[in-house]
Amino acid sequence: MASASGLPKDSAKRRREFAWLRRTRVPATFFGMVLGLCGLGNGWRAAARLGLAPTWVGEALSLLGVAVWAA
């Protein structure tokens, strides 16, 4: 049996089930933001181990990267 769109009911149901995929696309640049923040945080943490920078900055940048990833 066909739906109002002229497609078989199974096809229409399948399209509805996967419709949320079209709405949740994430641009590739968002991954770059996370990787950049975490990489910068790791750089600060490495500098803090050598005594060249404060520790809290690296930790804050790493936590910011995690927060961006979670959002």
Side-chain angles (χ1 to χ4, degrees):
M1 206 168 198
S3 64
S5 64
L7 295 172
K9 280 192 174 187
D10 291 339
S11 287
K13 182 180 178 185
R14 194 174 308 129
R15 281 191 317 150
R16 275 194 311 269
E17 287 174 356
F18 292 108
W20 64 272
L21 285 174
R22 285 188 292 261
R23 290 178 285 184
T24 57
R25 287 189 182 156
V26 177
T29 55
F30 285 11
F31 294 105
M33 290 188 300
V34 172
L35 292 174
L37 284 169
C38 290
L40 185 61
N42 280 336
W44 272 91
R45 290 172 74 188
R49 265 185 267 139
L50 296 174
L52 302 174
T55 340
W56 66 270
V57 178
E59 298 297 326
L61 286 168
S62 295
L63 287 174
L64 182 63
V66 170
V68 169
W69 180 260

